[in-house]
Amino acid sequence: MLEASNGDATERAYVNIMLSGIPKRSMALVAYGYDAGSLPHIYKVDSLLQESLFKELSGDFKNGAVNPKDQLVYSIGEYSGSFYSIDAQSGTIINEIQATINPPFPYFTGISYTNSLVLLGLYEGYIKGYYGNGALKFSYLMSLFRPQKLKYDGTYILGSFEYYSGGAPAFGVIYEISGAVKDILFTAFETVDFFRASGDLVLIFGNDGSQSNVYTLNTNSMIITQIHAFDAGKIYSVTQTGSETYVLSHDNGLIYYNFGSNNSSSFYSGAKKGILCYDEVDERLYLSSGNEIYSYTWPGAAESGPLLMPDSIRDIHILYNR
């Protein structure tokens, strides 16, 4: 219903409004393969667990990311591999930023694509932000801390860090617009992954020795609080499956965690340890462990696989059509 008024009289009328858009589709599971002494390979895997080689790169490999908006696949090395931006359909390298080789020190520490921003961490302490097309947006130097895993929540750059001297773990919040550090807090745990939750809260999954826990960080008060402890054992990977639900790869198999109820349960104790990602369109969970890839229906966790890959799979991501 539309309503119009001139202050004295009001008219109302019902009209038909048609909304149209391109349905979101899963294009492929992008799997990054690398074994020391060989070349990095990027594969595409379909929902039937059939793989095809997408791209061979030079140098070494650290991790990757995908950009569905611009249909780009990203890859970075650690010591010698470049930062590549690759067309997700043709495999053409759109942009390359070479690593500065300075053994025994690495060059890149991590890459992510969140909220239309590419974040690149450098061992020398820089956080670099890029638009999807590869144009540099900013370069911020973090004094005394090296960035590790980074994400952009629309306001802040959130990330795990290590202290320059001794490598003590920390978690930081940086204003994306200016690079000003709100705070970087030392932690007793090693961060595995983190996700923006409700309000001012960030959920952090971490390992304190052989004990794995969930913590919240309040980005207003900058206070970290442990809220849940899992059974003894380490977390290796976490993926989000709903607004408040997560699946963890743990020493005890796959664990389901609900932030709303703050409860966890083991639902596939026989699963191998590895890297997880969730396909929200096809409702399918993927796990890579060594050179094997498994697929699980969700919910239900009926297992398919393994698909045996030519290389050890170091990272996996879902590429959508938009």
Side-chain angles (χ1 to χ4, degrees):
M1 184 181 72
L2 296 180
E3 181 177 291
S5 174
N6 63 5
D8 296 320
T10 300
E11 292 290 335
R12 299 177 179 86
Y14 287 92
V15 296
N16 291 322
I17 298 176
M18 299 199 58
L19 300 176
S20 62
I22 300 173
K24 190 173 184 177
R25 293 185 294 108
S26 304
M27 304 293 287
L29 173 73
V30 178
Y32 296 81
Y34 177 67
D35 289 305
S38 64
L39 296 176
H41 298 101
I42 304 176
Y43 302 91
K44 287 184 176 180
V45 180
D46 64 22
S47 60
L48 299 177
L49 290 185
Q50 298 174 328
E51 57 89 4
S52 60
L53 178 64
F54 170 65
K55 191 71 176 178
E56 181 178 85
L57 301 173
S58 60
D60 63 358
F61 176 77
K62 174 65 176 178
N63 70 300
V66 296
N67 172 353
K69 179 181 177 182
D70 300 300
Q71 288 295 290
L72 294 172
V73 172
Y74 302 119
S75 176
I76 60 167
E78 186 172 15
Y79 294 91
S80 60
S82 298
F83 166 32
Y84 293 102
S85 299
I86 307 165
D87 184 282
Q89 304 308 317
S90 67
T92 302
I93 295 175
I94 305 299
N95 192 36
E96 178 182 358
I97 298 174
Q98 294 184 343
T100 299
I101 301 175
N102 184 29
F105 305 106
Y107 186 71
F108 297 115
T109 59
I111 188 172
S112 70
Y113 177 80
T114 46
N115 284 296
S116 301
L117 183 66
V118 179
L119 288 175
L120 192 64
L122 272 63
Y123 182 79
E124 59 188 6
Y126 282 97
I127 297 175
K128 293 182 179 287
Y130 295 87
Y131 296 102
N133 61 9
L136 181 67
K137 184 179 183 183
F138 58 77
S139 179
Y140 302 142
L141 178 62
M142 299 294 104
S143 177
L144 302 179
F145 288 92
R146 296 187 179 97
Q148 300 297 306
K149 194 178 188 75
L150 302 167
K151 294 181 182 180
Y152 174 51
D153 70 357
T155 301
Y156 299 116
I157 298 170
L158 308 170
S160 57
F161 294 82
E162 66 174 24
Y163 192 58
Y164 263 59
S165 178
F171 197 92
V173 177
I174 296 99
Y175 290 97
E176 184 270 341
I177 196 170
S178 65
V181 176
K182 183 162 189 178
D183 208 349
I184 298 180
L185 306 172
F186 286 105
T187 63
F189 58 86
E190 299 278 353
T191 297
V192 176
D193 211 341
F194 53 91
F195 304 84
R196 172 59 84 173
S198 58
D200 294 323
L201 296 181
V202 175
L203 279 185
I204 306 174
F205 295 83
N207 295 319
D208 184 355
S210 60
Q211 176 60 52
S212 51
N213 304 304
V214 185
Y215 307 82
T216 57
L217 166 68
N218 187 306
T219 53
N220 182 35
S221 65
M222 292 304 298
I223 294 174
I224 295 176
T225 306
Q226 181 186 325
I227 63 168
H228 187 81
F230 299 103
D231 291 339
K234 289 187 175 183
I235 301 169
Y236 296 90
S237 177
V238 185
T239 190
Q240 187 168 6
T241 58
S243 61
E244 294 186 324
T245 58
Y246 304 83
V247 173
L248 293 66
S249 174
H250 187 272
D251 276 322
N252 297 329
L254 297 180
I255 294 177
Y256 172 82
Y257 173 72
N258 188 307
F259 172 58
S261 61
N262 197 25
N263 287 321
S264 65
S265 59
S266 175
F267 70 90
Y268 203 93
S269 59
K272 294 188 176 182
K273 300 173 290 191
I275 303 167
L276 291 169
C277 75
Y278 177 65
D279 183 339
E280 64 183 41
V281 174
D282 291 342
E283 297 183 314
R284 188 166 289 275
L285 189 69
Y286 291 94
L287 168 70
S288 69
S289 179
N291 71 331
E292 299 176 340
I293 294 179
Y294 295 84
S295 171
Y296 301 87
T297 56
W298 185 258
E303 184 182 79
S304 299
L307 167 64
L308 298 180
M309 300 295 289
D311 311 303
S312 297
I313 301 303
R314 303 296 185 93
D315 205 0
I316 51 175
H317 294 276
I318 300 295
L319 176 67
Y320 300 104
N321 64 321
R322 60 175 177 83

